[in-house]
Amino acid sequence: MVPLPPLRPAAWLLAAAWLLVTPAAAVDGAASSQRALADAIGLHERGDLDGARRAFEALSSQGLPVADFNLAVMHLHGELPGGAAAALRLMTRAADAGFVTAMFGIGQLYEQGRLGAPDPVRAFAWHRRAALAGSVEAQVEAGTAYYLGRGVAQDLAEAARWYREAAKGGDIGAQYLVASMYEHAQGVARDLRLARHWYAAAAAQGDVAAAAKVEAIDRLAGASDD
């Protein structure tokens, strides 16, 4: 099987692109909510954790899922006392309100064992939910789960599907992996044209190995034309 790149750890950062991916953006006063959220993040960045907490809690009471997510992140960082259990409760509320970053975050909590022993089945379920909602990171995780049979039965066709979706979203690792799957007929029919397409996409983002693959396929095609 094609070797996989190392899985990327979750980046527990305060979300900045919040209202772009939450239904709360559609309500009246969204601009003022954006300003208030930016102010809350500013408080956190300046080290005023109590002020940030109060500001996020006020926004949470207004129904902004990203505020719940950011409070969850503070619990995970130990800046608030609830730990992973409180983070899960807040992320679940944000995820149920449609906040995709929270869906992915819950998957990472289960995958990394932040709630006890790692739970690949629950991790996969949340990653797939986020993947279906359009998260490129979650699409990579779903593809990897199907590729390895981790938390779900191994299915190379589904792995190729999710890597392809992530590749369309610009993930360089997924572009290389789906190209390799087309090259080696893993989960898909062998197709050097598509393999070259995705290797070239990865190469355009600076993947040196992908650029070498493009050259190799071009040499092979040239030799077959002779």
Side-chain angles (χ1 to χ4, degrees):
M1 294 178 69
V2 181
L4 291 168
L7 296 178
R8 293 164 295 179
W12 298 115
L13 302 175
L14 292 177
W18 12 268
L19 291 179
L20 298 178
V21 289
T22 173
V27 304
D28 292 338
S32 62
S33 295
Q34 289 178 353
R35 288 193 297 271
L37 191 51
D39 290 343
I41 292 172
L43 289 170
H44 183 272
E45 290 175 345
R46 292 192 295 274
D48 184 354
L49 300 183
D50 190 58
R53 173 191 60 77
R54 285 185 277 106
F56 286 135
E57 286 177 348
L59 289 167
S60 172
S61 69
Q62 297 172 26
L64 268 69
V66 68
D68 286 331
F69 180 82
N70 285 348
L71 286 167
V73 172
M74 292 182 72
H75 283 290
L76 289 170
H77 282 160
E79 296 166 343
L80 293 176
L88 176 63
R89 176 179 57 79
L90 289 160
M91 283 193 185
T92 300
R93 189 163 67 190
D96 288 344
F99 194 61
V100 181
T101 302
M103 300 175 196
F104 178 75
I106 295 170
Q108 293 296 92
L109 288 179
Y110 282 118
E111 181 170 300
Q112 296 176 357
R114 298 293 294 268
L115 299 161
D119 188 335
V121 174
R122 287 182 175 174
F124 168 74
W126 279 102
H127 284 149
R128 186 175 184 277
R129 181 173 169 181
L132 288 167
S135 166
V136 172
E137 288 182 311
Q139 289 164 355
V140 173
E141 294 286 356
T144 300
Y146 277 117
Y147 192 98
L148 297 177
R150 186 182 63 204
V152 66
Q154 186 180 52
D155 187 330
L156 294 184
E158 280 294 295
R161 170 200 172 190
W162 286 114
Y163 283 143
R164 186 165 51 247
E165 289 302 309
K168 292 175 184 176
D171 187 276
I172 187 172
Q175 289 169 346
Y176 187 96
L177 285 167
V178 76
S180 184
M181 295 182 83
Y182 276 118
E183 181 183 7
H184 299 289
Q186 290 189 306
V188 291
R190 189 168 192 259
D191 189 326
L192 288 182
R193 179 186 63 83
L194 285 172
R196 188 193 186 283
H197 169 79
W198 287 116
Y199 280 135
Q205 294 198 71
D207 189 316
V208 176
K213 284 286 192 177
V214 171
E215 293 177 3
I217 291 174
D218 286 347
R219 285 196 300 271
L220 182 63
S224 65
D225 289 341
D226 292 340

